[in-house]
């Protein structure tokens, strides 16, 4: 049987029935429901002549050996956020499974190069706040010392939760062995945003993942009585923060794909009868172009100092986290465009705001590309996350074409 995208839809629905409740998908990594999803997946691949193992970081590898050891990697993640959607991560893995079935059949179990399907462990970081855990171990960028002591809501340490699933964090570096023979990596994902729906397009080529600058910004003013302190005698930390909250929008709008968010604002003492003496905020800036990201960071910093001065306050910045922009492989971008055009006539190139495992694989030096399929309403990480069935079928078909073109490119 050739490629059958309806089989991917049936698999997705089966997985949803098994691992979702009334509030959505519950496949949070390192939980029993996640293990249940993985056990189900293990049953699904039984009919294929594949080698199956978990690496030292818990990544789930399915290998169809080819005439050459050179390998095409196809990846995704079966884990979800709590109350998540049915497609995020699972579409990637189950489309990959359908491609594996097609390739196995077409080449009588012996494709020209080796095909490896990987279900990354803990992409979401939903339980311990550490995303891309398994793929970072693969890439050799894991932060084991900082991560092992992380705790979940119930105070369970990450190290102990992983041990319960048979994963020892000290052995994480061994996962980098899986890089051997990896010649290319492809990943299909729902867009999780509104761009493709607005453009009326089903599919896009992903240029790369945006770099992120994430900072705490604290304005220091002076607490004072709200009744007795004249307006022109105040050191109002919230006023300075409020000006910045608006200014970062102006700064981001100068660049077509840049985004900037002030996601948290806390005031102290935070009572109705006091001028705000201290205001703690956070900022998250993203763009695919490192120069744009650096410019936005510099401009936001300068603006914060200007507004602090205007309100007779001071301001301090401290970095929470950052990652550089990661651009995908030029030749694979072209193959992805061609594959989409053959299925949907028109394609579009866009950066990804969210990070994906593909970013870590690319950091490891493996030529990488991602394909996006439209998300209805741009909604994800929510039980209402959805994509039209005909778009899902087009996605599986285009992604399969990308696999075929990539195999030809590597051969
Ligand atoms: Zn995902």
């Amino acid at each position: 049987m050739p490629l059958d995208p309806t089989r991917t839809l049936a698999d997705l629905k089966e997985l949803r029935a098994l691992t979702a409740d009334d509030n959505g998908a519950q496949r949070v990594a390192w939980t029993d429901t996640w293990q249940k999803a993985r056990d189900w997946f293990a049953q699904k691949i039984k009919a294929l002549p594949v080698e199956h193992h978990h690496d030292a970081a818990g990544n789930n590898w399915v290998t169809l050996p080819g005439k050459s050891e050179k390998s095409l990697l196809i990846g995704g993640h079966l884990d979800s956020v709590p109350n998540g959607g049915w497609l995020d991560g699972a579409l990637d893995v189950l489309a990959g499974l359908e491609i594996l079935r097609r390739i196995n059949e077409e080449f009588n179990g012996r494709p020209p190069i080796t095909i490896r399907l990987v279900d990354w462990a803990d992409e979401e970081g939903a339980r311990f706040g550490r995303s891309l855990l398994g793929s970072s171990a693969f890439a050799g960028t894991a932060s084991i010392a900082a991560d092992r002591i992380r705790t979940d809501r119930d105070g369970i340490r990450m190290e102990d939760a992983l041990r319960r699933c048979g994963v020892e964090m000290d052995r994480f570096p061994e996962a980098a062995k899986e890089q051997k023979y990896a010649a290319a990596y492809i990943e299909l994902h729902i867009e999780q945003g509104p761009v493709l729906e607005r453009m009326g397009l089903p599919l896009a080529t992903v240029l790369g993942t945006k770099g992120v600058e994430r900072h705490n910004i604290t304005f220091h003013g002076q607490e004072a009585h709200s009744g007795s302190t004249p307006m022109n005698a105040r050191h109002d930390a919230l006023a300075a923060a409020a000006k910045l909250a608006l200014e970062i929008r102006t700064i981001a709008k100068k660049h077509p794909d840049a985004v900037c968010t002030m996601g948290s604002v806390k005031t102290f003492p935070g009572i109705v009868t006091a001028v705000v003496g201290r205001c703690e905020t956070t900022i998250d800036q993203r763009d695919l172009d490192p120069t744009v990201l650096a410019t936005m960071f510099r401009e936001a910093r300068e603006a914060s100092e200007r507004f602090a001065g205007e309100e007779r306050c001071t301001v301090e910045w401290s970095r929470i986290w950052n990652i550089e922009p990661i651009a995908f492989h030029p030749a694979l971008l072209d193959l992805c465009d061609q594959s989409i055009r053959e299925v949907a006539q028109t394609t579009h190139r866009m950066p990804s705001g969210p990070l994906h495992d593909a970013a870590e694989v690319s950091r490891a030096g493996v030529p990488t590309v991602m394909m996006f399929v439209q998300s209805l309403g741009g909604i994800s990480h929510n039980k209402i996350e959805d994509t039209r069935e005909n778009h899902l079928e087009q996605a599986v078909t285009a992604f399969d074409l990308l696999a075929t073109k990539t195999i030809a490119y590597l051969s």
Side-chain angles (χ1 to χ4, degrees):
M1 195 177 191
L3 187 85
D4 181 4
T6 63
R7 205 152 44 173
T8 305
L9 276 163
D11 287 342
L12 282 164
K13 287 171 186 173
E14 211 177 297
L15 181 64
R16 176 170 61 183
L18 191 72
T19 58
D21 60 21
D22 290 347
N23 297 314
Q26 306 297 345
R27 298 185 300 275
V28 177
W30 321 110
T31 64
D32 292 343
T33 307
W34 178 64
Q35 300 269 31
K36 201 204 265 185
R38 287 189 145 193
D39 291 344
W40 170 86
F41 177 73
Q43 290 301 316
K44 283 273 158 194
I45 57 171
K46 265 210 163 138
L48 293 165
V50 290
E51 183 277 331
H52 183 205
H53 73 273
H54 289 184
D55 70 18
N59 299 312
N60 190 6
W61 292 91
V62 179
T63 303
L64 178 66
K67 295 194 183 98
S68 156
E69 281 178 313
K70 192 190 277 184
S71 302
L72 167 65
L73 274 44
I74 304 174
H77 58 97
L78 286 178
D79 75 305
S80 74
V81 296
N83 306 328
W86 68 304
L87 299 169
D88 181 358
L91 169 64
D92 337 355
V93 176
L94 297 175
L97 171 61
E98 182 56 24
I99 293 172
L100 212 54
R101 289 174 181 137
R102 193 273 297 165
I103 290 176
N104 174 54
E105 196 127 337
E106 182 174 335
F107 296 99
N108 285 318
R110 197 93 175 128
I113 64 168
T114 298
I115 314 295
R116 306 190 71 198
L117 177 56
V118 54
D119 156 31
W120 300 108
D122 204 353
E123 190 273 349
E124 299 286 3
R127 185 166 164 196
F128 295 99
R130 200 314 184 185
S131 309
L132 313 183
L133 186 74
S135 52
S136 71
F138 166 87
T141 58
S143 39
I144 302 168
D147 290 339
R148 72 190 334 149
I149 53 171
R150 288 172 181 269
T151 53
D152 69 6
R153 250 195 336 220
D154 302 318
I156 296 169
R157 276 163 53 111
M158 187 179 213
E159 185 167 37
D160 297 330
L162 269 60
R163 185 169 292 141
R164 192 177 152 266
C165 297
V167 174
E168 289 294 336
M169 292 187 72
D170 285 326
R171 290 187 47 219
F172 265 22
E174 293 171 31
K177 278 194 247 170
E178 307 290 340
Q179 287 182 25
K180 203 174 178 190
Y181 306 122
Y185 175 81
I186 59 174
E187 183 173 335
L188 170 68
H189 207 280
I190 51 167
E191 183 202 335
Q192 305 179 284
V195 174
L196 288 176
E197 190 178 43
R198 284 186 183 174
M199 297 182 77
L201 294 176
L203 300 163
T205 298
V206 184
L207 287 162
T209 55
K210 291 180 182 179
V212 183
E213 282 287 353
R214 207 170 277 172
H215 294 259
N216 288 310
I217 310 169
T218 302
F219 290 91
H220 298 276
Q222 190 170 53
E223 290 170 28
H225 196 289
S226 66
S228 59
T229 315
M231 296 311 286
N232 60 8
R234 296 182 175 205
H235 305 263
D236 186 342
L238 176 61
K243 286 180 174 178
L244 183 65
L246 297 178
E247 183 66 16
I248 60 169
R249 308 194 307 176
T250 310
I251 290 169
K253 277 178 192 164
K254 292 181 205 164
H255 314 282
D257 292 316
V259 286
C260 187
T261 307
M262 187 178 281
S264 170
V265 178
K266 291 183 197 144
T267 60
F268 301 89
I271 57 169
V272 70
T273 51
V275 174
V276 173
R278 186 169 93 248
C279 185
E280 297 177 357
T281 71
T282 61
I283 193 171
D284 175 293
Q285 299 176 297
R286 303 186 190 215
D287 197 78
L288 188 61
D289 181 339
T291 315
V292 169
L293 191 59
T295 304
M296 288 206 302
F297 172 55
R298 196 194 64 239
E299 289 181 353
R301 204 167 172 138
E302 286 167 1
S304 74
E305 276 152 18
R306 191 167 77 243
F307 298 139
E310 286 172 14
E311 299 301 327
R312 297 186 295 162
C313 297
T314 57
V315 62
E316 61 178 326
W317 284 60
S318 69
R319 179 174 273 154
I320 301 170
W321 180 76
N322 74 326
I323 188 169
E324 72 278 13
I326 292 159
F328 293 151
H329 193 270
L332 296 184
L333 292 175
D334 288 341
L335 297 182
C336 193
D337 282 343
Q338 287 168 26
S339 307
I340 292 172
R341 262 193 227 104
E342 285 176 33
V343 172
Q345 288 75 51
T346 321
T347 187
H348 174 65
R349 286 187 169 194
M350 61 185 289
S352 173
L355 281 161
H356 292 284
D357 293 309
E360 288 290 359
V361 181
S362 185
R363 276 173 123 187
V366 181
T368 293
V369 77
M370 286 184 77
M371 184 183 287
F372 271 168
V373 60
Q374 190 193 104
S375 291
L376 283 174
I379 301 293
S380 182
H381 285 192
N382 185 318
K383 68 171 177 177
I384 66 165
E385 167 191 288
D386 207 2
T387 295
R388 282 194 195 90
E389 292 203 351
N390 65 321
H391 286 173
L392 289 172
E393 290 178 15
Q394 283 182 310
V396 177
T397 306
F399 192 52
D400 181 57
L401 285 171
L402 174 60
T404 297
K405 290 180 198 298
T406 308
I407 291 167
Y409 170 74
L410 296 175
S411 300

PDB file of all heavy atoms in Angstrom, residues 77 79 87-90 92 123-124 187 189-190 192 355-357 381, ligand 1:
ATOM      1  N   HIS A  77       7.276  14.664  19.026  1.00  0.00           N
ATOM      2  CA  HIS A  77       7.217  14.317  20.457  1.00  0.00           C
ATOM      3  C   HIS A  77       5.801  13.882  20.831  1.00  0.00           C
ATOM      4  O   HIS A  77       4.831  14.562  20.501  1.00  0.00           O
ATOM      5  CB  HIS A  77       7.656  15.501  21.326  1.00  0.00           C
ATOM      6  CG  HIS A  77       6.854  16.755  21.130  1.00  0.00           C
ATOM      7  ND1 HIS A  77       5.812  17.098  21.956  1.00  0.00           N
ATOM      8  CD2 HIS A  77       6.925  17.746  20.198  1.00  0.00           C
ATOM      9  CE1 HIS A  77       5.300  18.257  21.547  1.00  0.00           C
ATOM     10  NE2 HIS A  77       5.942  18.668  20.477  1.00  0.00           N
ATOM     11  N   ASP A  79       4.876  13.655  23.930  1.00  0.00           N
ATOM     12  CA  ASP A  79       4.437  14.314  25.171  1.00  0.00           C
ATOM     13  C   ASP A  79       3.628  15.568  24.840  1.00  0.00           C
ATOM     14  O   ASP A  79       3.756  16.151  23.759  1.00  0.00           O
ATOM     15  CB  ASP A  79       5.623  14.646  26.086  1.00  0.00           C
ATOM     16  CG  ASP A  79       6.456  15.821  25.625  1.00  0.00           C
ATOM     17  OD1 ASP A  79       6.931  15.787  24.474  1.00  0.00           O
ATOM     18  OD2 ASP A  79       6.632  16.791  26.402  1.00  0.00           O
ATOM     19  N   LEU A  87      -2.783  17.404  18.415  1.00  0.00           N
ATOM     20  CA  LEU A  87      -1.864  17.402  17.277  1.00  0.00           C
ATOM     21  C   LEU A  87      -0.428  17.797  17.621  1.00  0.00           C
ATOM     22  O   LEU A  87       0.519  17.343  16.975  1.00  0.00           O
ATOM     23  CB  LEU A  87      -2.386  18.372  16.208  1.00  0.00           C
ATOM     24  CG  LEU A  87      -3.764  18.034  15.642  1.00  0.00           C
ATOM     25  CD1 LEU A  87      -4.287  19.190  14.794  1.00  0.00           C
ATOM     26  CD2 LEU A  87      -3.710  16.744  14.821  1.00  0.00           C
ATOM     27  N   ASP A  88      -0.264  18.676  18.593  1.00  0.00           N
ATOM     28  CA  ASP A  88       1.055  19.216  18.927  1.00  0.00           C
ATOM     29  C   ASP A  88       2.019  18.079  19.268  1.00  0.00           C
ATOM     30  O   ASP A  88       1.873  17.431  20.301  1.00  0.00           O
ATOM     31  CB  ASP A  88       0.914  20.182  20.120  1.00  0.00           C
ATOM     32  CG  ASP A  88       2.229  20.822  20.525  1.00  0.00           C
ATOM     33  OD1 ASP A  88       3.275  20.507  19.917  1.00  0.00           O
ATOM     34  OD2 ASP A  88       2.210  21.648  21.453  1.00  0.00           O
ATOM     35  N   GLY A  89       2.980  17.847  18.392  1.00  0.00           N
ATOM     36  CA  GLY A  89       3.977  16.802  18.624  1.00  0.00           C
ATOM     37  C   GLY A  89       3.572  15.452  18.084  1.00  0.00           C
ATOM     38  O   GLY A  89       4.354  14.773  17.426  1.00  0.00           O
ATOM     39  N   ALA A  90       2.316  15.047  18.344  1.00  0.00           N
ATOM     40  CA  ALA A  90       1.857  13.722  17.930  1.00  0.00           C
ATOM     41  C   ALA A  90       1.724  13.631  16.409  1.00  0.00           C
ATOM     42  O   ALA A  90       2.024  12.603  15.808  1.00  0.00           O
ATOM     43  CB  ALA A  90       0.529  13.394  18.595  1.00  0.00           C
ATOM     44  N   ASP A  92       3.602  15.027  14.218  1.00  0.00           N
ATOM     45  CA  ASP A  92       4.948  14.831  13.677  1.00  0.00           C
ATOM     46  C   ASP A  92       5.339  13.346  13.726  1.00  0.00           C
ATOM     47  O   ASP A  92       5.822  12.777  12.755  1.00  0.00           O
ATOM     48  CB  ASP A  92       6.001  15.641  14.452  1.00  0.00           C
ATOM     49  CG  ASP A  92       5.461  16.838  15.210  1.00  0.00           C
ATOM     50  OD1 ASP A  92       4.259  17.138  15.090  1.00  0.00           O
ATOM     51  OD2 ASP A  92       6.238  17.463  15.937  1.00  0.00           O
ATOM     52  N   GLU A 123       9.640  17.266  25.237  1.00  0.00           N
ATOM     53  CA  GLU A 123       9.801  18.489  24.452  1.00  0.00           C
ATOM     54  C   GLU A 123       9.193  19.671  25.198  1.00  0.00           C
ATOM     55  O   GLU A 123       9.733  20.761  25.210  1.00  0.00           O
ATOM     56  CB  GLU A 123       9.111  18.334  23.083  1.00  0.00           C
ATOM     57  CG  GLU A 123       9.417  19.449  22.086  1.00  0.00           C
ATOM     58  CD  GLU A 123       8.503  20.657  22.174  1.00  0.00           C
ATOM     59  OE1 GLU A 123       7.481  20.593  22.869  1.00  0.00           O
ATOM     60  OE2 GLU A 123       8.823  21.683  21.559  1.00  0.00           O
ATOM     61  N   GLU A 124       8.035  19.426  25.817  1.00  0.00           N
ATOM     62  CA  GLU A 124       7.249  20.537  26.357  1.00  0.00           C
ATOM     63  C   GLU A 124       7.811  21.140  27.647  1.00  0.00           C
ATOM     64  O   GLU A 124       7.586  22.313  27.932  1.00  0.00           O
ATOM     65  CB  GLU A 124       5.804  20.080  26.612  1.00  0.00           C
ATOM     66  CG  GLU A 124       5.049  19.615  25.371  1.00  0.00           C
ATOM     67  CD  GLU A 124       4.625  20.776  24.462  1.00  0.00           C
ATOM     68  OE1 GLU A 124       4.964  21.922  24.774  1.00  0.00           O
ATOM     69  OE2 GLU A 124       3.980  20.503  23.436  1.00  0.00           O
ATOM     70  N   GLU A 187      11.058  17.750  10.372  1.00  0.00           N
ATOM     71  CA  GLU A 187       9.990  17.721  11.381  1.00  0.00           C
ATOM     72  C   GLU A 187       8.774  18.460  10.838  1.00  0.00           C
ATOM     73  O   GLU A 187       8.890  19.558  10.295  1.00  0.00           O
ATOM     74  CB  GLU A 187      10.503  18.379  12.683  1.00  0.00           C
ATOM     75  CG  GLU A 187       9.502  18.333  13.825  1.00  0.00           C
ATOM     76  CD  GLU A 187      10.076  18.836  15.169  1.00  0.00           C
ATOM     77  OE1 GLU A 187      11.311  18.788  15.377  1.00  0.00           O
ATOM     78  OE2 GLU A 187       9.276  19.302  15.992  1.00  0.00           O
ATOM     79  N   HIS A 189       5.098  20.103  11.940  1.00  0.00           N
ATOM     80  CA  HIS A 189       4.457  20.571  13.174  1.00  0.00           C
ATOM     81  C   HIS A 189       3.281  21.468  12.817  1.00  0.00           C
ATOM     82  O   HIS A 189       3.290  22.122  11.778  1.00  0.00           O
ATOM     83  CB  HIS A 189       5.471  21.345  14.030  1.00  0.00           C
ATOM     84  CG  HIS A 189       5.167  21.300  15.500  1.00  0.00           C
ATOM     85  ND1 HIS A 189       4.222  22.107  16.088  1.00  0.00           N
ATOM     86  CD2 HIS A 189       5.662  20.525  16.489  1.00  0.00           C
ATOM     87  CE1 HIS A 189       4.171  21.826  17.388  1.00  0.00           C
ATOM     88  NE2 HIS A 189       5.036  20.870  17.659  1.00  0.00           N
ATOM     89  N   ILE A 190       2.294  21.512  13.702  1.00  0.00           N
ATOM     90  CA  ILE A 190       1.244  22.524  13.529  1.00  0.00           C
ATOM     91  C   ILE A 190       1.859  23.902  13.788  1.00  0.00           C
ATOM     92  O   ILE A 190       2.781  24.033  14.590  1.00  0.00           O
ATOM     93  CB  ILE A 190       0.043  22.275  14.473  1.00  0.00           C
ATOM     94  CG1 ILE A 190       0.512  22.100  15.926  1.00  0.00           C
ATOM     95  CG2 ILE A 190      -0.766  21.076  14.008  1.00  0.00           C
ATOM     96  CD1 ILE A 190      -0.622  22.163  16.929  1.00  0.00           C
ATOM     97  N   GLN A 192       0.644  26.578  15.311  1.00  0.00           N
ATOM     98  CA  GLN A 192       0.365  27.100  16.665  1.00  0.00           C
ATOM     99  C   GLN A 192       0.195  28.616  16.689  1.00  0.00           C
ATOM    100  O   GLN A 192       0.308  29.242  17.743  1.00  0.00           O
ATOM    101  CB  GLN A 192       1.462  26.703  17.664  1.00  0.00           C
ATOM    102  CG  GLN A 192       1.695  25.204  17.726  1.00  0.00           C
ATOM    103  CD  GLN A 192       2.802  24.811  18.689  1.00  0.00           C
ATOM    104  OE1 GLN A 192       3.971  24.967  18.380  1.00  0.00           O
ATOM    105  NE2 GLN A 192       2.446  24.278  19.841  1.00  0.00           N
ATOM    106  N   LEU A 355      10.021  27.505  20.152  1.00  0.00           N
ATOM    107  CA  LEU A 355      11.172  26.636  19.898  1.00  0.00           C
ATOM    108  C   LEU A 355      10.659  25.224  19.637  1.00  0.00           C
ATOM    109  O   LEU A 355       9.576  24.858  20.064  1.00  0.00           O
ATOM    110  CB  LEU A 355      12.092  26.640  21.114  1.00  0.00           C
ATOM    111  CG  LEU A 355      12.975  27.875  21.201  1.00  0.00           C
ATOM    112  CD1 LEU A 355      13.508  28.040  22.618  1.00  0.00           C
ATOM    113  CD2 LEU A 355      14.130  27.765  20.214  1.00  0.00           C
ATOM    114  N   HIS A 356      11.461  24.455  18.916  1.00  0.00           N
ATOM    115  CA  HIS A 356      11.112  23.064  18.650  1.00  0.00           C
ATOM    116  C   HIS A 356      12.371  22.223  18.773  1.00  0.00           C
ATOM    117  O   HIS A 356      13.479  22.749  18.703  1.00  0.00           O
ATOM    118  CB  HIS A 356      10.537  22.921  17.233  1.00  0.00           C
ATOM    119  CG  HIS A 356       9.195  23.582  17.060  1.00  0.00           C
ATOM    120  ND1 HIS A 356       8.023  23.039  17.537  1.00  0.00           N
ATOM    121  CD2 HIS A 356       8.852  24.748  16.473  1.00  0.00           C
ATOM    122  CE1 HIS A 356       7.018  23.840  17.249  1.00  0.00           C
ATOM    123  NE2 HIS A 356       7.488  24.889  16.608  1.00  0.00           N
ATOM    124  N   ASP A 357      12.179  20.891  18.893  1.00  0.00           N
ATOM    125  CA  ASP A 357      13.335  19.996  18.957  1.00  0.00           C
ATOM    126  C   ASP A 357      14.265  20.200  17.765  1.00  0.00           C
ATOM    127  O   ASP A 357      15.479  20.027  17.881  1.00  0.00           O
ATOM    128  CB  ASP A 357      12.859  18.538  19.002  1.00  0.00           C
ATOM    129  CG  ASP A 357      12.126  18.203  20.288  1.00  0.00           C
ATOM    130  OD1 ASP A 357      12.669  18.484  21.372  1.00  0.00           O
ATOM    131  OD2 ASP A 357      11.000  17.674  20.226  1.00  0.00           O
ATOM    132  N   HIS A 381      -1.782  24.366  22.625  1.00  0.00           N
ATOM    133  CA  HIS A 381      -1.665  24.172  24.081  1.00  0.00           C
ATOM    134  C   HIS A 381      -3.040  24.381  24.738  1.00  0.00           C
ATOM    135  O   HIS A 381      -3.168  25.031  25.764  1.00  0.00           O
ATOM    136  CB  HIS A 381      -0.605  25.102  24.701  1.00  0.00           C
ATOM    137  CG  HIS A 381       0.793  24.642  24.406  1.00  0.00           C
ATOM    138  ND1 HIS A 381       1.903  25.133  25.029  1.00  0.00           N
ATOM    139  CD2 HIS A 381       1.253  23.704  23.548  1.00  0.00           C
ATOM    140  CE1 HIS A 381       2.993  24.528  24.570  1.00  0.00           C
ATOM    141  NE2 HIS A 381       2.616  23.668  23.666  1.00  0.00           N
TER     142      HIS A 381
HETATM  143 ZN1  LIG B   1       5.293  20.586  19.776  1.00  0.00          ZN
END
